Structures are given as structure tokens and as C-alpha cells.
Amino acid sequence: MSAVQNLNRQILLKLLIASVMMFGFGYALVPLYKALCEVTGINVVTSKNDYGVRAFSPNKVGNTQVDYSRVVTIEFDSNSRGPFTFKPVKNFLEVHPGEMTEIVYEVYNNLDRSVEAQAIPSYAPKSATEFFTKLECFCFQQQTLTAHETRKMPVVFMIDAGLPEDVKTITLSYTFFELGVGPPQAPKSKVSS
């Protein structure tokens, strides 16, 4: 046997051993990953039954992003510019930062015709604006109300846990107005010659 053939056999044997070891390592990764997740508490890869038991267990840990030690009062205000009756169904709610909350506003079109409208929000104090996150809001799009239609419109929001400690009350105010209608014209005065 020549030296080249001997060298080729050694390389082939090393490649076969490396292939078997890589396959074994890849095969062992799944149980190792599951064990690592169990130990660290990440718990992303578990069986469906284990997940169901943990998800609905009475010992289930709640949302850790909610700050239950704080309560912020959210006051709701409404203004309308046009033929509407517009108001929140509740004047205020007490919420915990990080908690998802829903409030409903109700609007009624007082006219005998359809109306295109839009709502614009504002916040007080102004410093709270960046900590007030709306996930769903009727203000995101224009509303078409038919003649004498009443509509309940939800706002789903969350107050960021980073809200400064000195902010205890936030006012969310909406102005609901008819689109396509300009500001009222001043009456023309008659000039005598």
C-alpha cells in the first residue's frame, strides 16, 4: 500500500468519525435545549401538555410588566365640533402601569344625513403623551355615521411603566369633528355709501 493510499484512508476515517459526531451532536441538541430552557425558566420549548398545565395552573405567574404597586387615574374628556353628541361611557378609570385597558366612547349623529368625521386626541399633562400607548382607537381612521346613528367606539390602551412617579392623573381628551366643513364664516357687514 502506498503512502498516498494510507493517507487517503486516514482522512476518510477522520471524515467519517467527524460526520458521525456532528450527527450525534445535532441529534442531542434538542433534548439539551429543552433541558436548558427548563433549568433557566425560559420555557419556550415544552410539550403541549406541559404548556397547558403551566398556562392554566392556579400558581401561574401574572404579567410581570404590570406595576401593581402604582395606580394612575385616567380621566376621559370629549368635545364635539359639529352635529354630534359625543361622550365617554365612563368619566375615569384607575389603571396600573403596564396593564392593558379599554374604554368606550359613544357618538350620536344628530343629522338626517350621513356624516364623515374624525377624532383627534390630546393628553394632559403633555409629559404623559409618550407613555400613553393606544393599541386600538377610533381616532386611527375616519368614521362615517349614517343619519341618527349611535356608535360605540373602543380605545384599547396601556400606560408605560416608565411613567414618572409624580404623574398620578392623565386626561385623555378627544375632539370629534365633521370633515369637509370649513370654519363658520363671519357675517358680512353692510357698508353704506
Side-chain angles (χ1 to χ4, degrees), residues 1-93:
M1 198 181 275
S2 71
V4 173
Q5 285 180 334
N6 194 21
L7 185 61
N8 283 344
R9 284 183 194 210
Q10 287 178 354
I11 291 174
L12 179 63
L13 183 62
K14 287 179 184 179
L15 287 174
L16 286 174
I17 291 172
S19 297
V20 169
M21 289 178 62
M22 286 190 305
F23 177 77
F25 181 72
Y27 189 76
L29 272 180
V30 173
L32 285 173
Y33 186 69
K34 282 183 181 180
L36 181 66
C37 289
E38 293 280 331
V39 168
T40 60
I42 297 172
N43 199 18
V44 238
V45 181
T46 55
S47 75
K48 189 173 184 179
N49 291 336
D50 286 347
Y51 182 74
V53 167
R54 286 191 183 99
F56 300 106
S57 168
N59 300 326
K60 180 183 159 199
V61 176
N63 184 349
T64 57
Q65 296 175 355
V66 177
D67 183 357
Y68 291 105
S69 67
R70 288 179 65 191
V71 174
V72 179
T73 301
I74 310 297
E75 296 175 339
F76 302 100
D77 181 41
S78 61
N79 304 291
S80 63
R81 301 287 183 260
F84 309 109
T85 303
F86 177 61
K87 62 182 180 178
V89 295
K90 291 184 180 181
N91 292 329
F92 73 93
L93 289 174

Side-chain angles (χ1 to χ4, degrees), residues 163-179:
L163 180 72
E165 292 284 335
D166 62 328
V167 178
K168 309 278 187 223
T169 303
I170 299 173
T171 301
L172 173 61
S173 179
Y174 285 100
T175 301
F176 199 76
F177 62 95
E178 184 177 2
L179 294 172

Side-chain angles (χ1 to χ4, degrees), residues 80-87 105-118 143-153 176-179 181:
S80 63
R81 301 287 183 260
F84 309 109
T85 303
F86 177 61
K87 62 182 180 178
Y105 276 75
E106 187 175 83
V107 65
Y108 173 72
N109 177 8
N110 296 311
L111 294 179
D112 293 327
R113 63 174 173 84
S114 292
V115 176
E116 292 284 324
Q118 179 78 47
Q143 304 293 323
T144 302
L145 300 166
T146 59
H148 301 288
E149 177 184 358
T150 299
R151 183 178 298 169
K152 293 186 183 298
M153 303 179 295
F176 199 76
F177 62 95
E178 184 177 2
L179 294 172
V181 176

